[in-house]
mmCIF file of all heavy atoms in Angstrom:
data_model
loop_
_atom_site.group_PDB
_atom_site.id
_atom_site.type_symbol
_atom_site.label_atom_id
_atom_site.label_comp_id
_atom_site.label_asym_id
_atom_site.label_seq_id
_atom_site.Cartn_x
_atom_site.Cartn_y
_atom_site.Cartn_z
ATOM 1 N N PHE A 1 -37.699 -117.700 -60.319
ATOM 2 C CA PHE A 1 -38.115 -116.861 -61.435
ATOM 3 C C PHE A 1 -37.419 -115.503 -61.383
ATOM 4 O O PHE A 1 -36.894 -115.009 -62.376
ATOM 5 C CB PHE A 1 -39.632 -116.681 -61.421
ATOM 6 C CG PHE A 1 -40.112 -115.683 -62.426
ATOM 7 C CD1 PHE A 1 -40.275 -116.039 -63.757
ATOM 8 C CD2 PHE A 1 -40.368 -114.376 -62.049
ATOM 9 C CE1 PHE A 1 -40.694 -115.103 -64.693
ATOM 10 C CE2 PHE A 1 -40.797 -113.441 -62.971
ATOM 11 C CZ PHE A 1 -40.961 -113.811 -64.301
ATOM 12 N N PHE A 2 -37.426 -114.882 -60.196
ATOM 13 C CA PHE A 2 -36.801 -113.562 -60.054
ATOM 14 C C PHE A 2 -35.284 -113.647 -60.227
ATOM 15 O O PHE A 2 -34.645 -112.694 -60.676
ATOM 16 C CB PHE A 2 -37.170 -112.938 -58.704
ATOM 17 C CG PHE A 2 -38.619 -112.539 -58.610
ATOM 18 C CD1 PHE A 2 -39.435 -113.034 -57.610
ATOM 19 C CD2 PHE A 2 -39.176 -111.685 -59.555
ATOM 20 C CE1 PHE A 2 -40.774 -112.684 -57.544
ATOM 21 C CE2 PHE A 2 -40.520 -111.320 -59.491
ATOM 22 C CZ PHE A 2 -41.314 -111.822 -58.489
ATOM 23 N N LYS A 3 -34.717 -114.797 -59.883
ATOM 24 C CA LYS A 3 -33.288 -115.005 -60.114
ATOM 25 C C LYS A 3 -33.006 -115.023 -61.610
ATOM 26 O O LYS A 3 -31.999 -114.470 -62.083
ATOM 27 C CB LYS A 3 -32.838 -116.329 -59.473
ATOM 28 C CG LYS A 3 -31.356 -116.639 -59.655
ATOM 29 C CD LYS A 3 -30.474 -115.602 -58.961
ATOM 30 C CE LYS A 3 -29.005 -115.964 -59.079
ATOM 31 N NZ LYS A 3 -28.127 -114.936 -58.492
ATOM 32 N N THR A 4 -33.904 -115.647 -62.372
ATOM 33 C CA THR A 4 -33.767 -115.673 -63.830
ATOM 34 C C THR A 4 -33.810 -114.255 -64.395
ATOM 35 O O THR A 4 -33.013 -113.891 -65.267
ATOM 36 C CB THR A 4 -34.900 -116.509 -64.461
ATOM 37 O OG1 THR A 4 -34.777 -117.858 -64.009
ATOM 38 C CG2 THR A 4 -34.827 -116.475 -65.977
ATOM 39 N N ILE A 5 -34.726 -113.441 -63.898
ATOM 40 C CA ILE A 5 -34.830 -112.057 -64.372
ATOM 41 C C ILE A 5 -33.553 -111.284 -64.049
ATOM 42 O O ILE A 5 -33.063 -110.502 -64.873
ATOM 43 C CB ILE A 5 -36.060 -111.358 -63.753
ATOM 44 C CG1 ILE A 5 -37.341 -111.944 -64.351
ATOM 45 C CG2 ILE A 5 -36.013 -109.857 -63.993
ATOM 46 C CD1 ILE A 5 -38.616 -111.277 -63.886
ATOM 47 N N GLU A 6 -33.001 -111.507 -62.858
ATOM 48 C CA GLU A 6 -31.754 -110.823 -62.491
ATOM 49 C C GLU A 6 -30.628 -111.208 -63.438
ATOM 50 O O GLU A 6 -29.817 -110.364 -63.845
ATOM 51 C CB GLU A 6 -31.374 -111.164 -61.041
ATOM 52 C CG GLU A 6 -32.214 -110.457 -60.001
ATOM 53 C CD GLU A 6 -32.160 -108.943 -60.149
ATOM 54 O OE1 GLU A 6 -31.045 -108.391 -60.296
ATOM 55 O OE2 GLU A 6 -33.230 -108.313 -60.137
ATOM 56 N N ASN A 7 -30.564 -112.486 -63.812
ATOM 57 C CA ASN A 7 -29.534 -112.932 -64.758
ATOM 58 C C ASN A 7 -29.727 -112.289 -66.128
ATOM 59 O O ASN A 7 -28.761 -111.905 -66.795
ATOM 60 C CB ASN A 7 -29.555 -114.463 -64.875
ATOM 61 C CG ASN A 7 -29.056 -115.153 -63.624
ATOM 62 O OD1 ASN A 7 -28.287 -114.580 -62.862
ATOM 63 N ND2 ASN A 7 -29.495 -116.372 -63.391
ATOM 64 N N LEU A 8 -30.983 -112.173 -66.552
ATOM 65 C CA LEU A 8 -31.274 -111.516 -67.833
ATOM 66 C C LEU A 8 -30.885 -110.033 -67.793
ATOM 67 O O LEU A 8 -30.405 -109.484 -68.784
ATOM 68 C CB LEU A 8 -32.767 -111.659 -68.172
ATOM 69 C CG LEU A 8 -33.251 -113.066 -68.532
ATOM 70 C CD1 LEU A 8 -34.764 -113.076 -68.713
ATOM 71 C CD2 LEU A 8 -32.560 -113.568 -69.792
ATOM 72 N N LYS A 9 -31.104 -109.403 -66.653
ATOM 73 C CA LYS A 9 -30.741 -107.986 -66.512
ATOM 74 C C LYS A 9 -29.232 -107.788 -66.651
ATOM 75 O O LYS A 9 -28.773 -106.809 -67.244
ATOM 76 C CB LYS A 9 -31.212 -107.455 -65.154
ATOM 77 C CG LYS A 9 -32.713 -107.208 -65.087
ATOM 78 C CD LYS A 9 -33.117 -106.696 -63.714
ATOM 79 C CE LYS A 9 -34.609 -106.443 -63.640
ATOM 80 N NZ LYS A 9 -35.030 -105.985 -62.289
ATOM 81 N N LYS A 10 -28.455 -108.722 -66.109
ATOM 82 C CA LYS A 10 -26.996 -108.628 -66.221
ATOM 83 C C LYS A 10 -26.560 -108.750 -67.673
ATOM 84 O O LYS A 10 -25.662 -108.036 -68.132
ATOM 85 C CB LYS A 10 -26.338 -109.718 -65.365
ATOM 86 C CG LYS A 10 -26.504 -109.492 -63.864
ATOM 87 C CD LYS A 10 -25.940 -110.668 -63.065
ATOM 88 C CE LYS A 10 -26.176 -110.469 -61.570
ATOM 89 N NZ LYS A 10 -25.709 -111.623 -60.764
ATOM 90 N N THR A 11 -27.206 -109.673 -68.394
ATOM 91 C CA THR A 11 -26.912 -109.812 -69.821
ATOM 92 C C THR A 11 -27.293 -108.545 -70.565
ATOM 93 O O THR A 11 -26.569 -108.070 -71.457
ATOM 94 C CB THR A 11 -27.687 -111.015 -70.409
ATOM 95 O OG1 THR A 11 -27.333 -112.196 -69.684
ATOM 96 C CG2 THR A 11 -27.365 -111.200 -71.885
ATOM 97 N N ASN A 12 -28.428 -107.970 -70.193
ATOM 98 C CA ASN A 12 -28.896 -106.734 -70.822
ATOM 99 C C ASN A 12 -27.924 -105.585 -70.587
ATOM 100 O O ASN A 12 -27.713 -104.730 -71.463
ATOM 101 C CB ASN A 12 -30.275 -106.376 -70.280
ATOM 102 C CG ASN A 12 -30.924 -105.245 -71.042
ATOM 103 O OD1 ASN A 12 -31.193 -105.351 -72.241
ATOM 104 N ND2 ASN A 12 -31.168 -104.132 -70.372
ATOM 105 N N ASP A 13 -27.317 -105.555 -69.409
ATOM 106 C CA ASP A 13 -26.332 -104.509 -69.098
ATOM 107 C C ASP A 13 -25.142 -104.579 -70.058
ATOM 108 O O ASP A 13 -24.592 -103.547 -70.461
ATOM 109 C CB ASP A 13 -25.839 -104.644 -67.655
ATOM 110 C CG ASP A 13 -26.903 -104.239 -66.635
ATOM 111 O OD1 ASP A 13 -27.850 -103.528 -67.027
ATOM 112 O OD2 ASP A 13 -26.776 -104.643 -65.464
ATOM 113 N N VAL A 14 -24.732 -105.801 -70.399
ATOM 114 C CA VAL A 14 -23.620 -105.978 -71.343
ATOM 115 C C VAL A 14 -24.002 -105.414 -72.715
ATOM 116 O O VAL A 14 -23.233 -104.685 -73.349
ATOM 117 C CB VAL A 14 -23.243 -107.475 -71.465
ATOM 118 C CG1 VAL A 14 -22.176 -107.655 -72.550
ATOM 119 C CG2 VAL A 14 -22.740 -108.007 -70.134
ATOM 120 N N VAL A 15 -25.222 -105.748 -73.169
ATOM 121 C CA VAL A 15 -25.685 -105.242 -74.467
ATOM 122 C C VAL A 15 -25.748 -103.719 -74.446
ATOM 123 O O VAL A 15 -25.312 -103.043 -75.388
ATOM 124 C CB VAL A 15 -27.074 -105.830 -74.816
ATOM 125 C CG1 VAL A 15 -27.607 -105.220 -76.114
ATOM 126 C CG2 VAL A 15 -26.996 -107.347 -74.938
ATOM 127 N N ASN A 16 -26.267 -103.149 -73.350
ATOM 128 C CA ASN A 16 -26.368 -101.691 -73.230
ATOM 129 C C ASN A 16 -24.993 -101.019 -73.306
ATOM 130 O O ASN A 16 -24.857 -99.917 -73.842
ATOM 131 C CB ASN A 16 -27.051 -101.304 -71.919
ATOM 132 C CG ASN A 16 -28.552 -101.482 -71.980
ATOM 133 O OD1 ASN A 16 -29.142 -101.482 -73.068
ATOM 134 N ND2 ASN A 16 -29.183 -101.642 -70.832
ATOM 135 N N TYR A 17 -23.983 -101.693 -72.760
ATOM 136 C CA TYR A 17 -22.621 -101.156 -72.804
ATOM 137 C C TYR A 17 -22.169 -100.967 -74.249
ATOM 138 O O TYR A 17 -21.617 -99.913 -74.613
ATOM 139 C CB TYR A 17 -21.672 -102.103 -72.060
ATOM 140 C CG TYR A 17 -20.216 -101.738 -72.200
ATOM 141 C CD1 TYR A 17 -19.644 -100.771 -71.380
ATOM 142 C CD2 TYR A 17 -19.408 -102.362 -73.157
ATOM 143 C CE1 TYR A 17 -18.303 -100.427 -71.506
ATOM 144 C CE2 TYR A 17 -18.068 -102.028 -73.291
ATOM 145 C CZ TYR A 17 -17.519 -101.058 -72.462
ATOM 146 O OH TYR A 17 -16.193 -100.723 -72.604
ATOM 147 N N TYR A 18 -22.413 -101.969 -75.076
ATOM 148 C CA TYR A 18 -21.972 -101.889 -76.468
ATOM 149 C C TYR A 18 -22.860 -100.971 -77.301
ATOM 150 O O TYR A 18 -22.403 -100.359 -78.271
ATOM 151 C CB TYR A 18 -21.899 -103.295 -77.072
ATOM 152 C CG TYR A 18 -20.715 -104.074 -76.544
ATOM 153 C CD1 TYR A 18 -20.882 -105.070 -75.586
ATOM 154 C CD2 TYR A 18 -19.420 -103.777 -76.979
ATOM 155 C CE1 TYR A 18 -19.789 -105.759 -75.075
ATOM 156 C CE2 TYR A 18 -18.328 -104.464 -76.475
ATOM 157 C CZ TYR A 18 -18.510 -105.452 -75.522
ATOM 158 O OH TYR A 18 -17.424 -106.125 -75.019
ATOM 159 N N VAL A 19 -24.114 -100.840 -76.917
ATOM 160 C CA VAL A 19 -24.996 -99.867 -77.573
ATOM 161 C C VAL A 19 -24.477 -98.451 -77.319
ATOM 162 O O VAL A 19 -24.399 -97.623 -78.230
ATOM 163 C CB VAL A 19 -26.448 -100.002 -77.058
ATOM 164 C CG1 VAL A 19 -27.308 -98.824 -77.525
ATOM 165 C CG2 VAL A 19 -27.063 -101.311 -77.537
ATOM 166 N N LYS A 20 -24.118 -98.189 -76.072
ATOM 167 C CA LYS A 20 -23.583 -96.877 -75.713
ATOM 168 C C LYS A 20 -22.310 -96.577 -76.494
ATOM 169 O O LYS A 20 -22.114 -95.462 -77.006
ATOM 170 C CB LYS A 20 -23.300 -96.831 -74.201
ATOM 171 C CG LYS A 20 -22.807 -95.472 -73.715
ATOM 172 C CD LYS A 20 -22.555 -95.497 -72.213
ATOM 173 C CE LYS A 20 -22.011 -94.147 -71.727
ATOM 174 N NZ LYS A 20 -21.718 -94.171 -70.268
ATOM 175 N N LYS A 21 -21.432 -97.580 -76.609
ATOM 176 C CA LYS A 21 -20.194 -97.405 -77.361
ATOM 177 C C LYS A 21 -20.483 -97.113 -78.833
ATOM 178 O O LYS A 21 -19.826 -96.272 -79.455
ATOM 179 C CB LYS A 21 -19.318 -98.665 -77.230
ATOM 180 C CG LYS A 21 -18.643 -98.830 -75.888
ATOM 181 C CD LYS A 21 -17.614 -97.742 -75.658
ATOM 182 C CE LYS A 21 -16.894 -97.931 -74.338
ATOM 183 N NZ LYS A 21 -15.924 -96.828 -74.090
ATOM 184 N N ASN A 22 -21.452 -97.832 -79.392
ATOM 185 C CA ASN A 22 -21.803 -97.625 -80.795
ATOM 186 C C ASN A 22 -22.314 -96.203 -81.027
ATOM 187 O O ASN A 22 -21.940 -95.543 -81.999
ATOM 188 C CB ASN A 22 -22.864 -98.643 -81.216
ATOM 189 C CG ASN A 22 -23.078 -98.674 -82.719
ATOM 190 O OD1 ASN A 22 -22.154 -98.442 -83.504
ATOM 191 N ND2 ASN A 22 -24.303 -98.973 -83.127
ATOM 192 N N LEU A 23 -23.152 -95.731 -80.132
ATOM 193 C CA LEU A 23 -23.701 -94.377 -80.253
ATOM 194 C C LEU A 23 -22.605 -93.327 -80.077
ATOM 195 O O LEU A 23 -22.574 -92.309 -80.790
ATOM 196 C CB LEU A 23 -24.808 -94.170 -79.219
ATOM 197 C CG LEU A 23 -26.103 -94.960 -79.468
ATOM 198 C CD1 LEU A 23 -27.007 -94.911 -78.242
ATOM 199 C CD2 LEU A 23 -26.831 -94.413 -80.685
ATOM 200 N N GLU A 24 -21.709 -93.569 -79.140
ATOM 201 C CA GLU A 24 -20.619 -92.611 -78.888
ATOM 202 C C GLU A 24 -19.641 -92.538 -80.061
ATOM 203 O O GLU A 24 -19.205 -91.456 -80.455
ATOM 204 C CB GLU A 24 -19.859 -93.000 -77.616
ATOM 205 C CG GLU A 24 -20.627 -92.744 -76.331
ATOM 206 C CD GLU A 24 -19.872 -93.245 -75.113
ATOM 207 O OE1 GLU A 24 -18.840 -93.947 -75.289
ATOM 208 O OE2 GLU A 24 -20.303 -92.948 -73.984
ATOM 209 N N ASN A 25 -19.309 -93.699 -80.612
ATOM 210 C CA ASN A 25 -18.261 -93.763 -81.633
ATOM 211 C C ASN A 25 -18.767 -93.550 -83.056
ATOM 212 O O ASN A 25 -18.010 -93.103 -83.923
ATOM 213 C CB ASN A 25 -17.532 -95.113 -81.563
ATOM 214 C CG ASN A 25 -16.833 -95.331 -80.229
ATOM 215 O OD1 ASN A 25 -16.467 -94.373 -79.550
ATOM 216 N ND2 ASN A 25 -16.659 -96.585 -79.845
ATOM 217 N N ASN A 26 -20.021 -93.868 -83.303
ATOM 218 C CA ASN A 26 -20.486 -93.897 -84.689
ATOM 219 C C ASN A 26 -21.700 -93.018 -84.978
ATOM 220 O O ASN A 26 -22.383 -93.200 -85.992
ATOM 221 C CB ASN A 26 -20.799 -95.339 -85.090
ATOM 222 C CG ASN A 26 -19.576 -96.226 -84.975
ATOM 223 O OD1 ASN A 26 -18.482 -95.880 -85.421
ATOM 224 N ND2 ASN A 26 -19.749 -97.386 -84.341
ATOM 225 N N SER A 27 -21.989 -92.074 -84.105
ATOM 226 C CA SER A 27 -23.064 -91.122 -84.373
ATOM 227 C C SER A 27 -22.649 -89.727 -83.923
ATOM 228 O O SER A 27 -21.814 -89.576 -83.023
ATOM 229 C CB SER A 27 -24.356 -91.538 -83.666
ATOM 230 O OG SER A 27 -24.242 -91.399 -82.263
ATOM 231 N N PHE A 28 -23.251 -88.741 -84.560
ATOM 232 C CA PHE A 28 -22.938 -87.346 -84.225
ATOM 233 C C PHE A 28 -24.192 -86.505 -84.390
ATOM 234 O O PHE A 28 -24.876 -86.598 -85.408
ATOM 235 C CB PHE A 28 -21.835 -86.800 -85.136
ATOM 236 C CG PHE A 28 -21.629 -85.309 -85.008
ATOM 237 C CD1 PHE A 28 -20.966 -84.781 -83.916
ATOM 238 C CD2 PHE A 28 -22.122 -84.437 -85.982
ATOM 239 C CE1 PHE A 28 -20.787 -83.414 -83.787
ATOM 240 C CE2 PHE A 28 -21.941 -83.067 -85.862
ATOM 241 C CZ PHE A 28 -21.270 -82.554 -84.760
ATOM 242 N N PHE A 29 -24.516 -85.704 -83.375
ATOM 243 C CA PHE A 29 -25.691 -84.840 -83.461
ATOM 244 C C PHE A 29 -25.287 -83.416 -83.803
ATOM 245 O O PHE A 29 -24.461 -82.807 -83.123
ATOM 246 C CB PHE A 29 -26.467 -84.843 -82.140
ATOM 247 C CG PHE A 29 -27.734 -84.030 -82.188
ATOM 248 C CD1 PHE A 29 -28.828 -84.490 -82.921
ATOM 249 C CD2 PHE A 29 -27.833 -82.809 -81.534
ATOM 250 C CE1 PHE A 29 -29.998 -83.751 -82.976
ATOM 251 C CE2 PHE A 29 -28.996 -82.070 -81.587
ATOM 252 C CZ PHE A 29 -30.091 -82.541 -82.317
ATOM 253 N N SER A 30 -25.858 -82.903 -84.868
ATOM 254 C CA SER A 30 -25.606 -81.525 -85.288
ATOM 255 C C SER A 30 -26.613 -80.602 -84.609
ATOM 256 O O SER A 30 -27.807 -80.650 -84.903
ATOM 257 C CB SER A 30 -25.740 -81.403 -86.810
ATOM 258 O OG SER A 30 -25.681 -80.047 -87.194
ATOM 259 N N HIS A 31 -26.134 -79.770 -83.695
ATOM 260 C CA HIS A 31 -27.025 -78.854 -82.976
ATOM 261 C C HIS A 31 -27.532 -77.733 -83.871
ATOM 262 O O HIS A 31 -28.597 -77.175 -83.611
ATOM 263 C CB HIS A 31 -26.304 -78.271 -81.760
ATOM 264 C CG HIS A 31 -26.039 -79.283 -80.683
ATOM 265 N ND1 HIS A 31 -26.993 -79.658 -79.759
ATOM 266 C CD2 HIS A 31 -24.929 -80.019 -80.405
ATOM 267 C CE1 HIS A 31 -26.477 -80.563 -78.950
ATOM 268 N NE2 HIS A 31 -25.228 -80.803 -79.312
ATOM 269 N N THR A 32 -26.781 -77.412 -84.900
ATOM 270 C CA THR A 32 -27.212 -76.348 -85.811
ATOM 271 C C THR A 32 -28.323 -76.831 -86.744
ATOM 272 O O THR A 32 -29.323 -76.156 -86.952
ATOM 273 C CB THR A 32 -26.027 -75.820 -86.643
ATOM 274 O OG1 THR A 32 -25.390 -76.927 -87.304
ATOM 275 C CG2 THR A 32 -25.021 -75.125 -85.735
ATOM 276 N N LYS A 33 -28.153 -78.035 -87.288
ATOM 277 C CA LYS A 33 -29.157 -78.569 -88.213
ATOM 278 C C LYS A 33 -30.196 -79.465 -87.523
ATOM 279 O O LYS A 33 -31.171 -79.892 -88.148
ATOM 280 C CB LYS A 33 -28.457 -79.357 -89.315
ATOM 281 C CG LYS A 33 -27.575 -78.486 -90.200
ATOM 282 C CD LYS A 33 -26.984 -79.299 -91.342
ATOM 283 C CE LYS A 33 -26.140 -78.418 -92.260
ATOM 284 N NZ LYS A 33 -25.571 -79.186 -93.403
ATOM 285 N N LYS A 34 -29.961 -79.745 -86.237
ATOM 286 C CA LYS A 34 -30.898 -80.551 -85.451
ATOM 287 C C LYS A 34 -31.127 -81.947 -86.042
ATOM 288 O O LYS A 34 -32.255 -82.453 -86.059
ATOM 289 C CB LYS A 34 -32.245 -79.825 -85.309
ATOM 290 C CG LYS A 34 -32.170 -78.442 -84.702
ATOM 291 C CD LYS A 34 -31.683 -78.504 -83.263
ATOM 292 C CE LYS A 34 -31.633 -77.098 -82.652
ATOM 293 N NZ LYS A 34 -31.072 -77.118 -81.287
ATOM 294 N N HIS A 35 -30.079 -82.550 -86.554
ATOM 295 C CA HIS A 35 -30.239 -83.923 -87.019
ATOM 296 C C HIS A 35 -29.075 -84.795 -86.541
ATOM 297 O O HIS A 35 -28.009 -84.305 -86.178
ATOM 298 C CB HIS A 35 -30.414 -84.000 -88.540
ATOM 299 C CG HIS A 35 -29.257 -83.480 -89.338
ATOM 300 N ND1 HIS A 35 -29.416 -82.800 -90.521
ATOM 301 C CD2 HIS A 35 -27.914 -83.538 -89.141
ATOM 302 C CE1 HIS A 35 -28.232 -82.471 -91.012
ATOM 303 N NE2 HIS A 35 -27.322 -82.916 -90.196
ATOM 304 N N LEU A 36 -29.333 -86.110 -86.548
ATOM 305 C CA LEU A 36 -28.362 -87.081 -86.066
ATOM 306 C C LEU A 36 -27.743 -87.797 -87.258
ATOM 307 O O LEU A 36 -28.449 -88.260 -88.152
ATOM 308 C CB LEU A 36 -29.058 -88.093 -85.152
ATOM 309 C CG LEU A 36 -28.165 -89.082 -84.389
ATOM 310 C CD1 LEU A 36 -27.322 -88.351 -83.353
ATOM 311 C CD2 LEU A 36 -29.032 -90.141 -83.697
ATOM 312 N N ILE A 37 -26.417 -87.879 -87.247
ATOM 313 C CA ILE A 37 -25.690 -88.496 -88.351
ATOM 314 C C ILE A 37 -25.098 -89.828 -87.893
ATOM 315 O O ILE A 37 -24.399 -89.896 -86.881
ATOM 316 C CB ILE A 37 -24.555 -87.571 -88.843
ATOM 317 C CG1 ILE A 37 -25.127 -86.216 -89.266
ATOM 318 C CG2 ILE A 37 -23.785 -88.218 -89.989
ATOM 319 C CD1 ILE A 37 -24.060 -85.160 -89.509
ATOM 320 N N LEU A 38 -25.398 -90.890 -88.639
ATOM 321 C CA LEU A 38 -24.887 -92.223 -88.337
ATOM 322 C C LEU A 38 -23.928 -92.651 -89.442
ATOM 323 O O LEU A 38 -24.305 -92.659 -90.623
ATOM 324 C CB LEU A 38 -26.039 -93.231 -88.244
ATOM 325 C CG LEU A 38 -27.275 -92.813 -87.440
ATOM 326 C CD1 LEU A 38 -28.339 -93.905 -87.502
ATOM 327 C CD2 LEU A 38 -26.901 -92.509 -85.987
ATOM 328 N N ASN A 39 -22.692 -93.009 -89.066
ATOM 329 C CA ASN A 39 -21.736 -93.435 -90.105
ATOM 330 C C ASN A 39 -21.931 -94.908 -90.456
ATOM 331 O O ASN A 39 -22.740 -95.616 -89.835
ATOM 332 C CB ASN A 39 -20.289 -93.126 -89.683
ATOM 333 C CG ASN A 39 -19.839 -93.928 -88.467
ATOM 334 O OD1 ASN A 39 -20.271 -95.054 -88.249
ATOM 335 N ND2 ASN A 39 -18.957 -93.336 -87.670
ATOM 336 N N ASP A 40 -21.191 -95.396 -91.440
ATOM 337 C CA ASP A 40 -21.400 -96.766 -91.925
ATOM 338 C C ASP A 40 -21.051 -97.825 -90.877
ATOM 339 O O ASP A 40 -21.606 -98.932 -90.865
ATOM 340 C CB ASP A 40 -20.627 -97.004 -93.224
ATOM 341 C CG ASP A 40 -19.124 -96.852 -93.030
ATOM 342 O OD1 ASP A 40 -18.714 -96.084 -92.132
ATOM 343 O OD2 ASP A 40 -18.370 -97.505 -93.770
ATOM 344 N N LYS A 41 -20.117 -97.506 -89.937
ATOM 345 C CA LYS A 41 -19.743 -98.473 -88.899
ATOM 346 C C LYS A 41 -20.892 -98.713 -87.924
ATOM 347 O O LYS A 41 -20.946 -99.756 -87.260
ATOM 348 C CB LYS A 41 -18.514 -97.974 -88.140
ATOM 349 C CG LYS A 41 -17.238 -97.971 -88.970
ATOM 350 C CD LYS A 41 -16.054 -97.510 -88.135
ATOM 351 C CE LYS A 41 -14.772 -97.500 -88.967
ATOM 352 N NZ LYS A 41 -13.613 -97.010 -88.174
ATOM 353 N N PHE A 42 -21.799 -97.743 -87.831
ATOM 354 C CA PHE A 42 -22.960 -97.856 -86.952
ATOM 355 C C PHE A 42 -23.742 -99.128 -87.250
ATOM 356 O O PHE A 42 -24.227 -99.812 -86.340
ATOM 357 C CB PHE A 42 -23.858 -96.621 -87.155
ATOM 358 C CG PHE A 42 -25.060 -96.553 -86.241
ATOM 359 C CD1 PHE A 42 -25.034 -95.791 -85.081
ATOM 360 C CD2 PHE A 42 -26.234 -97.232 -86.546
ATOM 361 C CE1 PHE A 42 -26.142 -95.713 -84.254
ATOM 362 C CE2 PHE A 42 -27.348 -97.161 -85.727
ATOM 363 C CZ PHE A 42 -27.302 -96.399 -84.574
#
């Protein structure tokens, strides 16, 4: 069972990698207006 969870965690790490890339490439936080901007590629 715990081996299954470890395998799921590895898969989750892959998804997290692409989530991070999406946030880095397709979002921008305005410190002056205090809001987050998401472009259409997001």
Side-chain angles (χ1 to χ4, degrees):
F1 172 81
F2 291 123
K3 180 64 177 176
T4 297
I5 290 184
E6 285 303 313
N7 290 335
L8 291 175
K9 285 180 180 178
K10 291 175 183 177
T11 303
N12 189 62
D13 288 341
V14 175
V15 176
N16 282 337
Y17 172 83
Y18 287 104
V19 169
K20 183 180 178 182
K21 286 294 182 182
N22 191 32
L23 290 168
E24 288 176 351
N25 298 334
N26 300 313
S27 69
F28 170 76
F29 183 71
S30 172
H31 291 278
T32 54
K33 295 184 178 181
K34 304 296 181 184
H35 62 216
L36 188 67
I37 303 169
L38 315 178
N39 65 31
D40 62 332
K41 291 182 180 178
F42 184 98

